[in-house]
Amino acid sequence: MTLMESFNTKLRGIMKIPELKARIVFTLLMFLVARVGTYIPAPGIDIERLSAMTAQNDLLGFINMFSGGAFQRISIFALGIVPYINASIVFSLLAVIIPKIEEIQKEGESGRAKISQWTRYVTILIAIMQGIGVCVWLTSSGLVINPGLRFMFVTITILTAGTVFLMWVGEQISVNGIGNGVSLLIFLNVISRGPSNIVQTIQIMKDSKFLIPILLAVAAAAVVVVGGIVLFQLGQRKIPVHYVGKGFGGRGGMAQNSYIPLKLNTSGVMPVIFASVMMMIPSLLIRSLPATFPFRDYLVLFFDSKHPVYMVLYALIIIFFSFFYTAIMFDPEKVADNLKQSGGTIPGIRPGEETVEYLEGVVTRITWGGAIFLAAICILPIIVFTAAGLPVFFGGTGIIIVVGVALDTVQQIDAHLVMKEYKGFL
């Protein structure tokens, strides 16, 4: 069976499952709604000048990538889903600092619903603050046709409402669609900028005699990087577990062997998304400072995406969030307790505290490898593309997000197919 025949077989399997088919159709319809909104501009802004500025500025281009092109038009979705991500980061950090929030998170469905509601409120506040910042920047850059309080009020209201609507769309995808709604919206925005980034790259290099070799080299590197990310995202460290007791395979007292699958990258793409958003904030704040502010020029230089200081900070934040998110996703004490209650042991490791320490050590080593891999994939393209004179936002961050979210979504589709006795994609 050829690859295309195998793919067609999987598609026919999907079409035979009404629930899965309905979820995929719903997700695609929500994608259409999200894309249409990026083409509805807020009034009173010089769109042509703003688009030109965005094309010439790496930071603005990076922000524009996360908004799916909405920022260069200051559309109703110009802020994208970024305020919601910021709010999620805030509550993730507060759960570590404030024990009461952590207790609420562990209350089950009611606790998660309460945290989700608080996250929505904080999202609105952050969207208002970011809307104010965007309006101030537009006015100071001379991009507003009729500046004033009326423009500020209307634009802030439009941008905040757009973010709230996108947040609702993301939640609807998570509940009624397939995959994580927020991650899928970011995925959609990133891939929507792919064609224009390729065109921009060709335009920049069109007068170079090395255009074709460079494009071929970039394409080959992209294939290798995508393959590496796929292998890394699917890779597992299997810890053997030995069970002794009744109830295993219907044979009382017979030993059974199994394993604990630890993903090489437990945190997925979230560290990259969080780090990207967090690096945007100081860059925007610094550029909004008046020209007379002390050391402003040095700060602007340090927080340029091509500067070594920026790249080091970016890598460190990715590593931090890799450990942070892994600690949230994997609890060694809970796993060790479950093994003990079910009669399972890791060969050569005593149940209880020794198992916890062993699991913590393995997870820490794996996380170091995963964090460094993610940081390298995000940083190396910046160095390579800068040296080649290509747009910096055309790089590893977008590839990691696209591949990671796509794999997660395919795995969820596979789960539905397996439940209905169809073989999955992976």
mmCIF file of all heavy atoms in Angstrom, residues 2 65 71 88-89 101 120 140 159 164 179 189 192 234 239 248 256 260 265 280 286-287 289 301 329 360 382 404:
data_model
loop_
_atom_site.group_PDB
_atom_site.id
_atom_site.type_symbol
_atom_site.label_atom_id
_atom_site.label_comp_id
_atom_site.label_asym_id
_atom_site.label_seq_id
_atom_site.Cartn_x
_atom_site.Cartn_y
_atom_site.Cartn_z
ATOM 1 N N THR A 2 0.615 2.145 -0.950
ATOM 2 C CA THR A 2 1.392 3.370 -1.036
ATOM 3 C C THR A 2 0.989 4.335 0.077
ATOM 4 O O THR A 2 -0.027 4.134 0.755
ATOM 5 C CB THR A 2 1.188 4.054 -2.397
ATOM 6 O OG1 THR A 2 -0.188 4.459 -2.513
ATOM 7 C CG2 THR A 2 1.538 3.112 -3.531
ATOM 8 N N MET A 65 3.263 37.447 13.069
ATOM 9 C CA MET A 65 3.169 36.006 12.859
ATOM 10 C C MET A 65 2.226 35.378 13.875
ATOM 11 O O MET A 65 1.372 34.553 13.534
ATOM 12 C CB MET A 65 4.556 35.362 12.971
ATOM 13 C CG MET A 65 4.547 33.848 12.766
ATOM 14 S SD MET A 65 6.113 33.049 13.228
ATOM 15 C CE MET A 65 6.026 33.091 15.027
ATOM 16 N N PHE A 71 -2.089 41.856 12.953
ATOM 17 C CA PHE A 71 -1.465 43.040 13.533
ATOM 18 C C PHE A 71 -1.145 44.084 12.479
ATOM 19 O O PHE A 71 -1.294 45.287 12.718
ATOM 20 C CB PHE A 71 -0.189 42.651 14.283
ATOM 21 C CG PHE A 71 0.457 43.791 15.001
ATOM 22 C CD1 PHE A 71 -0.003 44.208 16.236
ATOM 23 C CD2 PHE A 71 1.526 44.475 14.442
ATOM 24 C CE1 PHE A 71 0.580 45.280 16.900
ATOM 25 C CE2 PHE A 71 2.118 45.539 15.093
ATOM 26 C CZ PHE A 71 1.640 45.938 16.323
ATOM 27 N N SER A 88 -2.725 32.821 31.405
ATOM 28 C CA SER A 88 -2.435 31.437 31.789
ATOM 29 C C SER A 88 -1.077 31.337 32.463
ATOM 30 O O SER A 88 -0.905 30.592 33.440
ATOM 31 C CB SER A 88 -2.473 30.532 30.550
ATOM 32 O OG SER A 88 -3.744 30.555 29.940
ATOM 33 N N ILE A 89 -0.091 32.094 31.952
ATOM 34 C CA ILE A 89 1.232 32.117 32.572
ATOM 35 C C ILE A 89 1.137 32.659 33.997
ATOM 36 O O ILE A 89 1.748 32.118 34.929
ATOM 37 C CB ILE A 89 2.207 32.966 31.742
ATOM 38 C CG1 ILE A 89 2.451 32.318 30.373
ATOM 39 C CG2 ILE A 89 3.536 33.152 32.473
ATOM 40 C CD1 ILE A 89 3.267 33.172 29.422
ATOM 41 N N ILE A 101 -4.128 28.663 45.615
ATOM 42 C CA ILE A 101 -4.485 28.473 44.203
ATOM 43 C C ILE A 101 -4.178 27.044 43.770
ATOM 44 O O ILE A 101 -4.953 26.422 43.029
ATOM 45 C CB ILE A 101 -3.740 29.489 43.321
ATOM 46 C CG1 ILE A 101 -4.213 30.916 43.646
ATOM 47 C CG2 ILE A 101 -3.951 29.191 41.840
ATOM 48 C CD1 ILE A 101 -3.534 31.988 42.836
ATOM 49 N N ARG A 120 -10.119 34.066 32.545
ATOM 50 C CA ARG A 120 -10.859 34.886 31.576
ATOM 51 C C ARG A 120 -10.884 36.350 32.019
ATOM 52 O O ARG A 120 -10.702 37.263 31.205
ATOM 53 C CB ARG A 120 -12.279 34.358 31.420
ATOM 54 C CG ARG A 120 -12.362 32.952 30.826
ATOM 55 C CD ARG A 120 -13.791 32.555 30.549
ATOM 56 N NE ARG A 120 -13.888 31.142 30.214
ATOM 57 C CZ ARG A 120 -14.360 30.207 31.035
ATOM 58 N NH1 ARG A 120 -14.795 30.551 32.230
ATOM 59 N NH2 ARG A 120 -14.416 28.951 30.657
ATOM 60 N N SER A 140 1.870 57.600 18.578
ATOM 61 C CA SER A 140 3.235 58.157 18.581
ATOM 62 C C SER A 140 3.953 57.914 17.259
ATOM 63 O O SER A 140 4.866 58.669 16.903
ATOM 64 C CB SER A 140 4.044 57.546 19.728
ATOM 65 O OG SER A 140 4.183 56.151 19.560
ATOM 66 N N LEU A 159 -10.316 45.840 20.096
ATOM 67 C CA LEU A 159 -9.241 44.872 20.284
ATOM 68 C C LEU A 159 -9.542 43.930 21.448
ATOM 69 O O LEU A 159 -9.288 42.716 21.365
ATOM 70 C CB LEU A 159 -7.911 45.590 20.519
ATOM 71 C CG LEU A 159 -7.390 46.453 19.361
ATOM 72 C CD1 LEU A 159 -6.042 47.065 19.725
ATOM 73 C CD2 LEU A 159 -7.271 45.637 18.083
ATOM 74 N N VAL A 164 -11.415 38.488 23.433
ATOM 75 C CA VAL A 164 -12.407 37.697 24.171
ATOM 76 C C VAL A 164 -13.108 36.713 23.239
ATOM 77 O O VAL A 164 -13.336 35.545 23.594
ATOM 78 C CB VAL A 164 -13.432 38.620 24.861
ATOM 79 C CG1 VAL A 164 -14.572 37.809 25.471
ATOM 80 C CG2 VAL A 164 -12.745 39.460 25.935
ATOM 81 N N GLY A 179 -8.478 18.606 19.433
ATOM 82 C CA GLY A 179 -7.225 19.247 19.799
ATOM 83 C C GLY A 179 -7.409 20.369 20.809
ATOM 84 O O GLY A 179 -8.527 20.677 21.236
ATOM 85 N N ASN A 189 -2.419 30.654 12.929
ATOM 86 C CA ASN A 189 -1.799 31.951 12.647
ATOM 87 C C ASN A 189 -0.393 31.796 12.068
ATOM 88 O O ASN A 189 0.000 32.528 11.151
ATOM 89 C CB ASN A 189 -1.748 32.789 13.922
ATOM 90 C CG ASN A 189 -3.118 33.280 14.348
ATOM 91 O OD1 ASN A 189 -4.046 33.324 13.549
ATOM 92 N ND2 ASN A 189 -3.263 33.623 15.613
ATOM 93 N N SER A 192 -0.459 30.431 8.480
ATOM 94 C CA SER A 192 -1.039 31.395 7.536
ATOM 95 C C SER A 192 -0.006 32.409 7.065
ATOM 96 O O SER A 192 -0.162 33.017 5.997
ATOM 97 C CB SER A 192 -2.218 32.133 8.186
ATOM 98 O OG SER A 192 -1.781 32.988 9.224
ATOM 99 N N LEU A 234 7.838 12.367 19.588
ATOM 100 C CA LEU A 234 7.260 11.034 19.766
ATOM 101 C C LEU A 234 8.141 10.118 20.606
ATOM 102 O O LEU A 234 7.696 9.045 21.031
ATOM 103 C CB LEU A 234 7.014 10.378 18.405
ATOM 104 C CG LEU A 234 6.008 11.085 17.482
ATOM 105 C CD1 LEU A 234 5.903 10.347 16.161
ATOM 106 C CD2 LEU A 234 4.636 11.187 18.141
ATOM 107 N N ILE A 239 10.490 3.176 31.345
ATOM 108 C CA ILE A 239 10.995 2.653 32.613
ATOM 109 C C ILE A 239 10.275 1.339 32.910
ATOM 110 O O ILE A 239 9.048 1.327 33.063
ATOM 111 C CB ILE A 239 10.760 3.662 33.754
ATOM 112 C CG1 ILE A 239 11.518 4.957 33.468
ATOM 113 C CG2 ILE A 239 11.188 3.081 35.093
ATOM 114 C CD1 ILE A 239 11.319 6.018 34.526
ATOM 115 N N PHE A 248 -3.735 -9.937 37.192
ATOM 116 C CA PHE A 248 -2.990 -9.532 35.996
ATOM 117 C C PHE A 248 -3.071 -10.646 34.964
ATOM 118 O O PHE A 248 -2.553 -11.745 35.175
ATOM 119 C CB PHE A 248 -1.527 -9.232 36.320
ATOM 120 C CG PHE A 248 -1.364 -8.044 37.219
ATOM 121 C CD1 PHE A 248 -1.223 -8.200 38.585
ATOM 122 C CD2 PHE A 248 -1.400 -6.764 36.696
ATOM 123 C CE1 PHE A 248 -1.104 -7.106 39.402
ATOM 124 C CE2 PHE A 248 -1.262 -5.667 37.527
ATOM 125 C CZ PHE A 248 -1.121 -5.839 38.875
ATOM 126 N N GLN A 256 3.775 -9.925 36.010
ATOM 127 C CA GLN A 256 3.555 -9.279 34.720
ATOM 128 C C GLN A 256 4.502 -8.089 34.590
ATOM 129 O O GLN A 256 4.757 -7.381 35.565
ATOM 130 C CB GLN A 256 2.105 -8.797 34.597
ATOM 131 C CG GLN A 256 1.080 -9.915 34.620
ATOM 132 C CD GLN A 256 1.149 -10.760 33.366
ATOM 133 O OE1 GLN A 256 1.125 -10.228 32.265
ATOM 134 N NE2 GLN A 256 1.240 -12.063 33.525
ATOM 135 N N ILE A 260 6.656 2.397 32.324
ATOM 136 C CA ILE A 260 6.151 3.760 32.439
ATOM 137 C C ILE A 260 6.727 4.552 31.264
ATOM 138 O O ILE A 260 7.945 4.724 31.169
ATOM 139 C CB ILE A 260 6.570 4.417 33.760
ATOM 140 C CG1 ILE A 260 6.066 3.606 34.950
ATOM 141 C CG2 ILE A 260 6.048 5.856 33.848
ATOM 142 C CD1 ILE A 260 6.587 4.112 36.285
ATOM 143 N N ASN A 265 9.961 14.903 25.559
ATOM 144 C CA ASN A 265 9.568 16.309 25.676
ATOM 145 C C ASN A 265 8.171 16.358 26.295
ATOM 146 O O ASN A 265 7.167 16.503 25.596
ATOM 147 C CB ASN A 265 9.575 16.992 24.311
ATOM 148 C CG ASN A 265 9.241 18.468 24.406
ATOM 149 O OD1 ASN A 265 9.453 19.096 25.447
ATOM 150 N ND2 ASN A 265 8.720 19.029 23.339
ATOM 151 N N MET A 280 8.311 39.097 23.965
ATOM 152 C CA MET A 280 7.673 40.214 23.260
ATOM 153 C C MET A 280 7.443 41.400 24.199
ATOM 154 O O MET A 280 7.613 42.559 23.807
ATOM 155 C CB MET A 280 6.303 39.793 22.716
ATOM 156 C CG MET A 280 6.317 38.927 21.497
ATOM 157 S SD MET A 280 4.604 38.649 20.991
ATOM 158 C CE MET A 280 4.797 37.205 19.960
ATOM 159 N N ILE A 286 10.145 48.538 25.981
ATOM 160 C CA ILE A 286 11.367 49.328 25.793
ATOM 161 C C ILE A 286 11.229 50.259 24.591
ATOM 162 O O ILE A 286 11.625 51.431 24.640
ATOM 163 C CB ILE A 286 12.578 48.391 25.625
ATOM 164 C CG1 ILE A 286 12.883 47.703 26.955
ATOM 165 C CG2 ILE A 286 13.803 49.174 25.151
ATOM 166 C CD1 ILE A 286 13.879 46.564 26.835
ATOM 167 N N ARG A 287 10.643 49.762 23.503
ATOM 168 C CA ARG A 287 10.491 50.578 22.297
ATOM 169 C C ARG A 287 9.445 51.681 22.476
ATOM 170 O O ARG A 287 9.421 52.643 21.698
ATOM 171 C CB ARG A 287 10.128 49.686 21.110
ATOM 172 C CG ARG A 287 11.317 48.948 20.536
ATOM 173 C CD ARG A 287 10.900 47.897 19.533
ATOM 174 N NE ARG A 287 12.045 47.349 18.818
ATOM 175 C CZ ARG A 287 12.891 46.454 19.313
ATOM 176 N NH1 ARG A 287 12.712 46.014 20.556
ATOM 177 N NH2 ARG A 287 13.908 46.013 18.602
ATOM 178 N N LEU A 289 9.334 53.503 25.216
ATOM 179 C CA LEU A 289 9.921 54.514 26.084
ATOM 180 C C LEU A 289 10.317 55.743 25.265
ATOM 181 O O LEU A 289 10.664 55.629 24.093
ATOM 182 C CB LEU A 289 11.161 53.949 26.794
ATOM 183 C CG LEU A 289 10.933 52.816 27.805
ATOM 184 C CD1 LEU A 289 12.278 52.262 28.280
ATOM 185 C CD2 LEU A 289 10.104 53.306 28.995
ATOM 186 N N LEU A 301 18.858 47.704 21.801
ATOM 187 C CA LEU A 301 19.850 46.858 21.138
ATOM 188 C C LEU A 301 19.883 45.459 21.751
ATOM 189 O O LEU A 301 19.890 44.449 21.034
ATOM 190 C CB LEU A 301 21.236 47.507 21.252
ATOM 191 C CG LEU A 301 22.410 46.715 20.656
ATOM 192 C CD1 LEU A 301 22.249 46.564 19.147
ATOM 193 C CD2 LEU A 301 23.727 47.386 21.000
ATOM 194 N N MET A 329 2.975 18.690 34.687
ATOM 195 C CA MET A 329 2.421 17.543 33.958
ATOM 196 C C MET A 329 2.742 16.200 34.619
ATOM 197 O O MET A 329 1.960 15.252 34.518
ATOM 198 C CB MET A 329 2.949 17.545 32.524
ATOM 199 C CG MET A 329 2.586 18.777 31.710
ATOM 200 S SD MET A 329 0.851 18.855 31.294
ATOM 201 C CE MET A 329 0.718 17.485 30.151
ATOM 202 N N GLU A 360 12.332 11.168 39.782
ATOM 203 C CA GLU A 360 12.736 12.575 39.698
ATOM 204 C C GLU A 360 14.058 12.718 38.954
ATOM 205 O O GLU A 360 14.225 13.632 38.125
ATOM 206 C CB GLU A 360 12.852 13.178 41.097
ATOM 207 C CG GLU A 360 11.507 13.443 41.774
ATOM 208 C CD GLU A 360 11.682 14.012 43.168
ATOM 209 O OE1 GLU A 360 12.805 13.918 43.717
ATOM 210 O OE2 GLU A 360 10.692 14.541 43.722
ATOM 211 N N ILE A 382 17.802 31.700 14.146
ATOM 212 C CA ILE A 382 18.018 33.138 14.254
ATOM 213 C C ILE A 382 19.439 33.477 13.802
ATOM 214 O O ILE A 382 19.658 34.426 13.040
ATOM 215 C CB ILE A 382 17.791 33.620 15.704
ATOM 216 C CG1 ILE A 382 16.338 33.401 16.124
ATOM 217 C CG2 ILE A 382 18.159 35.097 15.843
ATOM 218 C CD1 ILE A 382 16.048 33.802 17.548
ATOM 219 N N GLY A 404 4.638 20.531 16.562
ATOM 220 C CA GLY A 404 4.175 20.044 17.856
ATOM 221 C C GLY A 404 2.663 19.981 17.956
ATOM 222 O O GLY A 404 2.087 18.976 18.401
#
